[in-house]
Amino acid sequence: MSSSSSNLYGHGRRRIGIIGGGASGMFAATAAADAIQRDSPNEGCDVIVFEGTSKTMSKVRISGGGRCNVMHDTTKPLPQILSSYPRGNKELRGLYTKRFTPDDAYDWFTSRGVQLKTESDGRMFPITDNSQTIIDTISDAAIRAGVEVRMKEKVESVEWRDTTGGNEEGNFVVNTSSRSPTSSERVMNEENFDSLILATGSFPMGHEIAHSLGHNIVKPVPSLFTFDAKHLVKEGGIFNGLAGVSVPMARLTLVVNDEMTQSSLGKSPAEAGSNDESNAPKKKKKRKKKAPTIIQEGPLLVTHHGVSGPAALRLSAFAAREFHAVGYQCEVKIHFCPKWEEEQKISLSKGGGSEGILMDHLWEMTRLIPKRQVATGCPLFPKRMEASDDKSSSGDPPKSMPVLPKRLWSALVQYSEIPPGTTWGDASKSMIRSLANNISTFPLKVTRKGVFKEEFVTAGGVHLKEVNMSTMESKVKPGLFMCGEVLDVDGVTGGFNFMGCWSTGFVAGEGAAKFCYQEQVIT
C-alpha cells in the first residue's frame, strides 16, 4: 500500500480530490484549479480526479443522441427554467442568480471557442452537433489548469482522519484500487486530501460515501422514463400500428392515490389506516377531499411499446416517486387536444366555458357535415383556422392541419365503438359522448416503465438541507463538497440536468479551492 498525505492545518502542499470524472466532476476540478491559479498563484495545490472507468464524461458523450444537449435556452426567464426541476428548483435559484448563472455557463463555453445553437424547443447544442466538442473543451481546460485525472482508479471508501485530537481538523483519507501493471491483482492505495468533492452522479458508491461521512440520503428512484402500455400496442389495441404518430400538444394527468402518497412517506396503506377508531367518538363526516393530481403538458409520441415524448418524460420526472410506489402500473389520463379546448373556452362569450365544450363541438358536426364519415378525419382545428372564411359550400373546415393526426383520430373513433362507415348524421349522442371522453380523458394503462436512452436520471440523493447551496459545502462535514446528480436535484429533458452539473460543479470547485486557502493555517 502506498500513501501520500498533507495537512491543511500544517505545512505542505494542499490537495483537492474529486471522486468521479463525469460532467460535474471534471467541471468542478477545472474550476478548483482555475481558482487556485487565479487567487493563489504562488501556492502549491494538487487537484486530482479519480475515475473508475477508462473514459471521462461518458454521459456527455451519449447525451442528445451524441450531439450533447449542453444546456437550455438561456434567454428564457429564470422562473421558467427553474420550473423544469422537479427537485431542487428552490435551492438552485441562488446558484442561478448569484453564483454561476445559465449565462455564465454559456459564456464559459463560448469563451473557449464553442459555438452554440438554440433549437425551437429550447435545447442548446454545439454547432458541430458532436458531443466530443464539449468533452474536448472541458478536458483541454482541465489540462491547462493542471488537473490530474487518474483513469481506472476506483475509490473504495473514504474516511475522515482527525489529526489534532478532537478539534475537527484533519484530512479525508481516500482508499482506491487499481489494476497492477504487472499482474491481474488490484493494488490498494491510500491518499489524504484537505478537501474532497463528491461528483459520483447517481452511482450508489457516492451515496454510500456521503452516508459514511454523516449525510442522509433520499432514496434514489428512476426519473425520465417512457410509459409502456402492452395492452394498447398489442394486436387489436388502439395504438397497434400507430408507432411514430405524434400529437403536438397533449396533457397527461396522474391521479395520486393513497398507495402512492403513503409509499412516498415510507408507510404502507395498511400502516396508514391501522389506527383503531372503533371506540372513538363519532365525528361529523368531512367532505371527501378531491384526490391530488400531477399534470404535465407537451408533445406526445406513440411508440412500439406505449408513449414517449416531452409530455410523458415530464410526468415521469415530476411523479417519479408516485410511479415507483405502485411498481409503474397505474392509469394516466390523456387529453389529446387541451390547447384547442382552451381556445374554445376563451372564445365563448359566457365566461369560463363548460366541461362539455368538446362534446358540444363534435355534436355540432352532426348538423354541419352529416354525410361525412366520422372516421374520415378530425374536425377540430386551431381557432385561427376555424375563423377563416375559406370554407366550401358544404360547410367543410378549411384545408389545413387538424389538431389530431388522421390515423390517431380513426383509432379513437374505433376505440369509442363507433361502427365503421358511420356518418356524422347517423352517429348517436352516446357515440359522440364516448368519442369526446376518449379524446379528453383517454385511459392509458401503464404496465411498466420504459427506457429513455438519451438521458439516465434519478430522483434522490444527498439531502439538500444538509448542503450549503451557496458553496456546495457539506453542513455535516467541513471540507466536503458535492455537485451534480449525487444531490437530490434533477431536471427534465432539454439540457436542464447539464445546466445543474455546470453550476453546482463550478461552485463546488471554487468552494473547495477557497476552503484550502482560508486563513486557518497553523504555523
Side-chain angles (χ1 to χ4, degrees):
M1 176 182 290
S2 64
S3 176
S4 61
S5 65
S6 71
N7 188 350
L8 170 61
Y9 303 95
H11 297 287
R13 188 176 178 88
R14 276 84 165 168
R15 311 183 85 229
I16 299 174
I18 298 92
I19 304 178
S24 65
M26 291 297 293
F27 211 76
T30 304
D34 280 341
I36 291 165
Q37 288 185 356
R38 180 187 68 235
D39 301 331
S40 306
N42 298 322
E43 301 287 346
C45 184
D46 296 325
V47 179
I48 300 173
V49 177
F50 294 99
E51 171 55 45
T53 69
S54 60
K55 294 180 180 179
T56 60
M57 296 178 279
S58 297
K59 209 168 183 180
V60 175
R61 184 171 284 103
I62 63 174
S63 73
R67 297 195 297 152
C68 186
N69 182 187
V70 67
M71 63 182 71
H72 198 78
D73 186 355
T74 58
T75 65
K76 289 184 177 180
L78 185 60
Q80 185 177 348
I81 291 175
L82 290 171
S83 70
S84 293
Y85 291 89
R87 286 148 290 274
N89 57 80
K90 293 179 180 178
E91 291 82 359
L92 288 174
R93 179 177 294 276
L95 286 180
Y96 282 7
T97 55
K98 299 176 182 178
R99 299 293 288 113
F100 195 74
T101 69
D103 284 334
D104 288 336
Y106 178 89
D107 292 342
W108 193 95
F109 284 102
T110 55
S111 68
R112 289 163 174 78
V114 178
Q115 297 182 56
L116 299 173
K117 61 180 180 179
T118 305
E119 299 193 343
S120 59
D121 58 2
R123 294 182 300 164
M124 298 183 73
F125 297 88
I127 62 169
T128 59
D129 281 329
N130 191 337
S131 60
Q132 195 63 43
T133 300
I134 303 300
I135 294 172
D136 291 344
T137 300
I138 298 174
S139 297
D140 291 346
I143 292 171
R144 285 196 302 271
V147 174
E148 178 185 350
V149 181
R150 298 185 186 175
M151 303 289 197
K152 298 183 179 180
E153 190 157 352
K154 181 182 177 183
V155 174
E156 301 290 349
S157 64
V158 175
E159 306 167 30
W160 170 257
R161 182 170 295 167
D162 192 331
T163 60
T164 58
N167 292 327
E168 295 187 356
E169 297 174 0
N171 291 321
F172 293 96
V173 181
V174 177
N175 299 296
T176 66
S177 67
S178 58
R179 188 172 297 278
S180 170
T182 58
S183 68
S184 60
E185 295 182 358
R186 297 192 71 81
V187 178
M188 304 304 295
N189 187 42
E190 177 185 289
E191 298 193 47
N192 295 348
F193 291 91
D194 303 301
S195 181
L196 193 67
I197 301 176
L198 268 183
T200 50
S202 57
F203 286 100
M205 178 264 293
H207 296 146
E208 292 169 5
I209 292 173
H211 182 69
S212 72
L213 294 173
H215 277 279
N216 290 302
I217 307 300
V218 180
K219 182 182 178 181
V221 299
S223 181
L224 284 185
F225 48 84
T226 60
F227 301 139
D228 285 3
K230 66 178 182 180
H231 303 301
L232 300 179
V233 298
K234 68 180 182 180
E235 187 174 353
I238 181 174
F239 290 158
N240 183 258
L242 294 185
V245 171
S246 63
V247 177
M249 181 59 66
R251 177 183 297 147
L252 272 59
T253 302
L254 175 69
V255 177
V256 179
N257 59 33
D258 290 342
E259 184 179 0
M260 295 175 179
T261 303
Q262 297 305 327
S263 295
S264 296
L265 296 174
K267 298 180 180 179
S268 69
E271 291 173 326
S274 62
N275 294 333
D276 185 6
E277 299 181 355
S278 58
N279 297 321
K282 292 185 178 180
K283 297 179 181 179
K284 186 178 180 180
K285 289 185 178 180
K286 295 181 180 180
R287 176 180 287 183
K288 189 175 181 180
K289 291 184 179 179
K290 187 177 181 181
T293 58
I294 301 175
I295 302 172
Q296 291 296 321
E297 293 184 348
L300 188 69
L301 173 69
V302 179
T303 70
H304 290 289
H305 303 286
V307 296
S308 182
L313 294 169
R314 286 185 66 90
L315 185 64
S316 77
F318 279 89
R321 296 201 173 279
E322 286 75 10
F323 280 113
H324 179 76
V326 294
Y328 308 97
Q329 295 184 355
C330 56
E331 184 174 281
V332 172
K333 299 292 187 183
I334 301 178
H335 193 321
F336 287 105
C337 54
K339 293 303 180 186
W340 176 89
E341 191 169 48
E342 289 175 6
E343 288 176 350
Q344 298 298 318
K345 287 182 179 180
I346 292 172
S347 69
L348 290 177
S349 56
K350 48 183 181 181
S354 69
E355 294 182 356
I357 287 178
L358 182 57
M359 169 65 188
D360 293 344
H361 192 92
L362 293 177
W363 184 246
E364 183 70 3
M365 295 301 105
T366 64
R367 182 182 66 83
L368 294 177
I369 47 175
K371 295 183 180 180
R372 177 182 291 182
Q373 292 186 13
V374 178
T376 299
C378 175
L380 310 177
F381 291 82
K383 195 62 187 173
R384 62 183 180 275
M385 297 178 182
E386 288 184 346
S388 172
D389 293 330
D390 183 20
K391 292 187 178 181
S392 66
S393 58
S394 64
D396 287 351
K399 301 297 182 182
S400 52
M401 294 297 292
V403 296
L404 295 182
K406 182 176 181 179
R407 290 167 61 197
L408 177 59
W409 171 265
S410 298
L412 286 167
V413 170
Q414 183 179 353
Y415 187 79
S416 303
E417 298 184 347
I418 298 177
T422 300
T423 63
W424 284 100
D426 292 334
S428 67
K429 205 154 194 173
S430 62
M431 292 179 185
I432 301 301
R433 183 174 291 107
S434 176
L435 178 58
N437 288 338
N438 285 322
I439 293 172
S440 60
T441 56
F442 178 81
L444 177 75
K445 297 188 183 300
V446 180
T447 54
R448 66 177 183 179
K449 70 178 180 67
V451 177
F452 182 52
K453 296 180 180 179
E454 290 189 9
E455 291 196 48
F456 305 94
V457 177
T458 58
V462 175
H463 206 300
L464 297 182
K465 290 184 178 180
E466 300 174 353
V467 180
N468 181 344
M469 295 298 289
S470 65
T471 62
M472 303 314 299
E473 184 177 12
S474 166
K475 295 178 181 179
V476 177
K477 182 61 67 178
L480 174 65
F481 295 80
M482 286 162 282
C483 59
E485 291 182 45
V486 73
L487 300 161
D488 185 23
V489 174
D490 62 287
V492 301
T493 183
F496 299 99
N497 286 297
F498 276 142
M499 286 177 75
C501 285
W502 312 140
S503 186
T504 59
F506 184 88
V507 173
E510 289 217 324
K514 184 177 180 180
F515 179 86
C516 278
Y517 289 100
Q518 58 189 327
E519 295 180 356
Q520 298 180 12
V521 179
I522 301 174
T523 58

